[in-house]
PDB file of all heavy atoms in Angstrom:
ATOM      1  N   GLU A  57      -2.799   0.484 -20.360  1.00 95.00           N
ATOM      2  CA  GLU A  57      -2.462   0.560 -21.767  1.00 95.00           C
ATOM      3  C   GLU A  57      -3.738   0.909 -22.544  1.00 95.00           C
ATOM      4  O   GLU A  57      -4.711   0.189 -22.471  1.00 95.00           O
ATOM      5  CB  GLU A  57      -1.907  -0.755 -22.329  1.00 95.00           C
ATOM      6  CG  GLU A  57      -0.489  -1.056 -21.929  1.00 95.00           C
ATOM      7  CD  GLU A  57       0.006  -2.342 -22.554  1.00 95.00           C
ATOM      8  OE1 GLU A  57      -0.712  -2.982 -23.359  1.00 95.00           O
ATOM      9  OE2 GLU A  57       1.122  -2.773 -22.180  1.00 95.00           O
ATOM     10  N   MET A  58      -3.675   2.002 -23.250  1.00 94.00           N
ATOM     11  CA  MET A  58      -4.845   2.431 -24.022  1.00 94.00           C
ATOM     12  C   MET A  58      -4.629   2.044 -25.471  1.00 94.00           C
ATOM     13  O   MET A  58      -3.558   2.117 -26.012  1.00 94.00           O
ATOM     14  CB  MET A  58      -5.004   3.955 -23.940  1.00 94.00           C
ATOM     15  CG  MET A  58      -5.255   4.502 -22.556  1.00 94.00           C
ATOM     16  SD  MET A  58      -6.829   4.009 -21.891  1.00 94.00           S
ATOM     17  CE  MET A  58      -7.973   4.749 -23.047  1.00 94.00           C
ATOM     18  N   SER A  59      -5.735   1.678 -26.113  1.00 92.00           N
ATOM     19  CA  SER A  59      -5.666   1.457 -27.590  1.00 92.00           C
ATOM     20  C   SER A  59      -5.575   2.805 -28.262  1.00 92.00           C
ATOM     21  O   SER A  59      -5.849   3.857 -27.695  1.00 92.00           O
ATOM     22  CB  SER A  59      -6.901   0.690 -28.062  1.00 92.00           C
ATOM     23  OG  SER A  59      -8.057   1.454 -27.837  1.00 92.00           O
ATOM     24  N   GLY A  60      -5.135   2.817 -29.512  1.00 90.00           N
ATOM     25  CA  GLY A  60      -4.928   4.040 -30.241  1.00 90.00           C
ATOM     26  C   GLY A  60      -6.187   4.844 -30.424  1.00 90.00           C
ATOM     27  O   GLY A  60      -6.140   6.083 -30.480  1.00 90.00           O
ATOM     28  N   ASP A  61      -7.344   4.208 -30.494  1.00 91.00           N
ATOM     29  CA  ASP A  61      -8.606   4.937 -30.648  1.00 91.00           C
ATOM     30  C   ASP A  61      -9.331   5.210 -29.312  1.00 91.00           C
ATOM     31  O   ASP A  61     -10.480   5.675 -29.298  1.00 91.00           O
ATOM     32  CB  ASP A  61      -9.531   4.133 -31.581  1.00 91.00           C
ATOM     33  CG  ASP A  61      -9.885   2.753 -31.066  1.00 91.00           C
ATOM     34  OD1 ASP A  61      -9.327   2.358 -30.035  1.00 91.00           O
ATOM     35  OD2 ASP A  61     -10.702   2.083 -31.726  1.00 91.00           O
ATOM     36  N   LEU A  62      -8.667   4.939 -28.183  1.00 91.00           N
ATOM     37  CA  LEU A  62      -9.148   5.167 -26.829  1.00 91.00           C
ATOM     38  C   LEU A  62     -10.419   4.407 -26.531  1.00 91.00           C
ATOM     39  O   LEU A  62     -11.231   4.783 -25.690  1.00 91.00           O
ATOM     40  CB  LEU A  62      -9.405   6.674 -26.595  1.00 91.00           C
ATOM     41  CG  LEU A  62      -8.193   7.557 -26.750  1.00 91.00           C
ATOM     42  CD1 LEU A  62      -8.594   9.031 -26.533  1.00 91.00           C
ATOM     43  CD2 LEU A  62      -7.101   7.183 -25.766  1.00 91.00           C
ATOM     44  N   GLN A  63     -10.656   3.262 -27.193  1.00 93.00           N
ATOM     45  CA  GLN A  63     -11.850   2.479 -26.951  1.00 93.00           C
ATOM     46  C   GLN A  63     -11.618   1.322 -25.966  1.00 93.00           C
ATOM     47  O   GLN A  63     -12.565   0.760 -25.414  1.00 93.00           O
ATOM     48  CB  GLN A  63     -12.383   1.893 -28.258  1.00 93.00           C
ATOM     49  CG  GLN A  63     -12.906   2.954 -29.202  1.00 93.00           C
ATOM     50  CD  GLN A  63     -14.087   3.686 -28.626  1.00 93.00           C
ATOM     51  OE1 GLN A  63     -15.035   3.065 -28.155  1.00 93.00           O
ATOM     52  NE2 GLN A  63     -14.044   4.993 -28.720  1.00 93.00           N
ATOM     53  N   LEU A  64     -10.360   0.968 -25.717  1.00 95.00           N
ATOM     54  CA  LEU A  64     -10.025  -0.121 -24.819  1.00 95.00           C
ATOM     55  C   LEU A  64      -8.921   0.318 -23.878  1.00 95.00           C
ATOM     56  O   LEU A  64      -7.918   0.862 -24.323  1.00 95.00           O
ATOM     57  CB  LEU A  64      -9.597  -1.359 -25.619  1.00 95.00           C
ATOM     58  CG  LEU A  64      -9.171  -2.566 -24.824  1.00 95.00           C
ATOM     59  CD1 LEU A  64     -10.357  -3.148 -24.080  1.00 95.00           C
ATOM     60  CD2 LEU A  64      -8.541  -3.609 -25.740  1.00 95.00           C
ATOM     61  N   ALA A  65      -9.130   0.024 -22.608  1.00 95.00           N
ATOM     62  CA  ALA A  65      -8.120   0.320 -21.580  1.00 95.00           C
ATOM     63  C   ALA A  65      -7.751  -1.044 -20.918  1.00 95.00           C
ATOM     64  O   ALA A  65      -8.628  -1.645 -20.254  1.00 95.00           O
ATOM     65  CB  ALA A  65      -8.658   1.286 -20.525  1.00 95.00           C
ATOM     66  N   LYS A  66      -6.552  -1.507 -21.129  1.00 96.00           N
ATOM     67  CA  LYS A  66      -6.082  -2.724 -20.509  1.00 96.00           C
ATOM     68  C   LYS A  66      -5.405  -2.292 -19.189  1.00 96.00           C
ATOM     69  O   LYS A  66      -4.359  -1.645 -19.231  1.00 96.00           O
ATOM     70  CB  LYS A  66      -5.133  -3.467 -21.376  1.00 96.00           C
ATOM     71  CG  LYS A  66      -4.812  -4.838 -20.917  1.00 96.00           C
ATOM     72  CD  LYS A  66      -4.181  -5.729 -21.945  1.00 96.00           C
ATOM     73  CE  LYS A  66      -4.047  -7.131 -21.405  1.00 96.00           C
ATOM     74  NZ  LYS A  66      -3.420  -8.011 -22.347  1.00 96.00           N
ATOM     75  N   VAL A  67      -5.975  -2.716 -18.093  1.00 96.00           N
ATOM     76  CA  VAL A  67      -5.540  -2.271 -16.757  1.00 96.00           C
ATOM     77  C   VAL A  67      -4.757  -3.425 -16.105  1.00 96.00           C
ATOM     78  O   VAL A  67      -5.309  -4.521 -15.911  1.00 96.00           O
ATOM     79  CB  VAL A  67      -6.747  -1.874 -15.853  1.00 96.00           C
ATOM     80  CG1 VAL A  67      -6.295  -1.456 -14.511  1.00 96.00           C
ATOM     81  CG2 VAL A  67      -7.553  -0.811 -16.529  1.00 96.00           C
ATOM     82  N   TYR A  68      -3.527  -3.154 -15.783  1.00 95.00           N
ATOM     83  CA  TYR A  68      -2.683  -4.113 -15.094  1.00 95.00           C
ATOM     84  C   TYR A  68      -2.715  -3.848 -13.614  1.00 95.00           C
ATOM     85  O   TYR A  68      -2.427  -2.716 -13.158  1.00 95.00           O
ATOM     86  CB  TYR A  68      -1.259  -4.056 -15.607  1.00 95.00           C
ATOM     87  CG  TYR A  68      -1.101  -4.510 -17.048  1.00 95.00           C
ATOM     88  CD1 TYR A  68      -1.118  -3.588 -18.098  1.00 95.00           C
ATOM     89  CD2 TYR A  68      -1.013  -5.888 -17.341  1.00 95.00           C
ATOM     90  CE1 TYR A  68      -0.976  -4.045 -19.418  1.00 95.00           C
ATOM     91  CE2 TYR A  68      -0.906  -6.292 -18.658  1.00 95.00           C
ATOM     92  CZ  TYR A  68      -0.875  -5.387 -19.671  1.00 95.00           C
ATOM     93  OH  TYR A  68      -0.781  -5.820 -20.974  1.00 95.00           O
ATOM     94  N   VAL A  69      -3.054  -4.873 -12.815  1.00 94.00           N
ATOM     95  CA  VAL A  69      -3.165  -4.724 -11.394  1.00 94.00           C
ATOM     96  C   VAL A  69      -2.208  -5.711 -10.714  1.00 94.00           C
ATOM     97  O   VAL A  69      -2.021  -6.858 -11.182  1.00 94.00           O
ATOM     98  CB  VAL A  69      -4.555  -4.908 -10.864  1.00 94.00           C
ATOM     99  CG1 VAL A  69      -5.507  -3.783 -11.321  1.00 94.00           C
ATOM    100  CG2 VAL A  69      -5.165  -6.233 -11.275  1.00 94.00           C
ATOM    101  N   SER A  70      -1.643  -5.276  -9.614  1.00 91.00           N
ATOM    102  CA  SER A  70      -0.820  -6.133  -8.759  1.00 91.00           C
ATOM    103  C   SER A  70      -1.629  -6.422  -7.478  1.00 91.00           C
ATOM    104  O   SER A  70      -2.161  -5.521  -6.894  1.00 91.00           O
ATOM    105  CB  SER A  70       0.465  -5.430  -8.422  1.00 91.00           C
ATOM    106  OG  SER A  70       1.222  -6.170  -7.491  1.00 91.00           O
ATOM    107  N   ILE A  71      -1.740  -7.719  -7.175  1.00 89.00           N
ATOM    108  CA  ILE A  71      -2.559  -8.125  -6.027  1.00 89.00           C
ATOM    109  C   ILE A  71      -1.703  -8.950  -5.076  1.00 89.00           C
ATOM    110  O   ILE A  71      -1.070  -9.919  -5.518  1.00 89.00           O
ATOM    111  CB  ILE A  71      -3.767  -8.932  -6.504  1.00 89.00           C
ATOM    112  CG1 ILE A  71      -4.584  -8.155  -7.507  1.00 89.00           C
ATOM    113  CG2 ILE A  71      -4.639  -9.342  -5.301  1.00 89.00           C
ATOM    114  CD1 ILE A  71      -5.628  -8.971  -8.208  1.00 89.00           C
ATOM    115  N   LEU A  72      -1.687  -8.554  -3.812  1.00 86.00           N
ATOM    116  CA  LEU A  72      -0.970  -9.342  -2.830  1.00 86.00           C
ATOM    117  C   LEU A  72      -1.843 -10.446  -2.283  1.00 86.00           C
ATOM    118  O   LEU A  72      -3.034 -10.266  -2.099  1.00 86.00           O
ATOM    119  CB  LEU A  72      -0.496  -8.412  -1.677  1.00 86.00           C
ATOM    120  CG  LEU A  72       0.585  -7.407  -1.983  1.00 86.00           C
ATOM    121  CD1 LEU A  72       0.925  -6.610  -0.720  1.00 86.00           C
ATOM    122  CD2 LEU A  72       1.851  -8.077  -2.490  1.00 86.00           C
ATOM    123  N   GLY A  73      -1.232 -11.612  -2.058  1.00 84.00           N
ATOM    124  CA  GLY A  73      -1.958 -12.700  -1.492  1.00 84.00           C
ATOM    125  C   GLY A  73      -1.727 -13.994  -2.266  1.00 84.00           C
ATOM    126  O   GLY A  73      -0.927 -14.035  -3.229  1.00 84.00           O
ATOM    127  N   SER A  74      -2.458 -15.034  -1.897  1.00 86.00           N
ATOM    128  CA  SER A  74      -2.335 -16.314  -2.556  1.00 86.00           C
ATOM    129  C   SER A  74      -3.039 -16.258  -3.949  1.00 86.00           C
ATOM    130  O   SER A  74      -3.719 -15.294  -4.254  1.00 86.00           O
ATOM    131  CB  SER A  74      -2.952 -17.427  -1.711  1.00 86.00           C
ATOM    132  OG  SER A  74      -4.346 -17.201  -1.602  1.00 86.00           O
TER     133      SER A  74
END
Side-chain angles (χ1 to χ4, degrees):
E57 284 182 6
M58 298 294 298
S59 62
D61 59 356
L62 300 177
Q63 293 297 312
L64 178 66
K66 190 164 186 180
V67 179
Y68 292 96
V69 293
S70 174
I71 304 169
L72 291 181
S74 66

